[in-house]
Amino acid sequence: VQLQASGGGAVQVGDSLRLSCAVSGRTLSRYTMAWFRKAPGNEREFVGNIRRSGSGGATSYVDSVKGRFTISRDTAKNTLYLQMNSLKFEDTAVYYCGIAERHLARLMNRASDYDYWGQGTLVTVSS
């Protein structure tokens, strides 16, 4: 299983950016996938996830990004996306995509819920 994250870059406050996570070795619609981020000096933080299609494909987000970030997937491209709008300075971090082999009924917002990770892509937001 390989996840390839891309799309990071340096932007200004208020800008938008879309991250991609190309998946190989798994059909992503059959698995719950998530985005996490890690800022310098902080723990890896849950950003949001999208449940597998068989569980309805619902999305969940951490409060700090609700209304600004959107997770989606393109099944034809087997790719996960994170659309980030109205970026803030505090969104600066390395962003990681993850895929979970298990399905859990609770909100899967722990890094340990996910079994494979992309290499991370850096997002830097400046004023």
Side-chain angles (χ1 to χ4, degrees):
V1 180
Q2 290 190 331
L3 284 68
Q4 181 70 40
S6 62
V11 296
Q12 294 188 319
V13 171
D15 283 353
S16 297
L17 204 59
R18 189 178 78 161
L19 306 184
S20 300
C21 177
V23 179
S24 59
R26 291 290 185 272
T27 301
L28 91 171
S29 61
R30 296 180 183 176
Y31 298 88
T32 294
M33 292 198 66
W35 288 97
F36 281 71
R37 64 187 179 186
K38 187 178 186 306
N42 290 354
E43 298 286 326
R44 189 173 293 199
E45 175 192 29
F46 173 78
V47 174
N49 71 358
I50 183 168
R51 284 194 170 271
R52 62 184 186 180
S53 296
S55 297
T59 53
S60 298
Y61 302 93
V62 68
D63 285 347
S64 60
V65 308
K66 283 180 181 176
R68 300 188 298 120
F69 290 12
T70 302
I71 294 175
S72 63
R73 59 188 167 211
D74 184 328
T75 55
K77 295 182 178 180
N78 219 41
T79 299
L80 180 75
Y81 299 103
L82 178 65
Q83 177 67 44
M84 304 185 293
N85 298 330
S86 302
L87 281 161
K88 302 178 180 180
F89 177 76
E90 50 265 38
D91 295 321
T92 296
V94 177
Y95 284 72
Y96 298 89
C97 54
I99 188 168
E101 296 278 80
R102 300 167 296 163
H103 172 67
L104 303 174
R106 61 165 172 79
L107 175 61
M108 296 172 64
N109 60 351
R110 305 171 190 171
S112 59
D113 292 335
Y114 298 87
D115 301 284
Y116 300 98
W117 295 92
Q119 82 286 5
T121 185
L122 176 63
V123 174
T124 304
V125 184
S126 60
S127 55

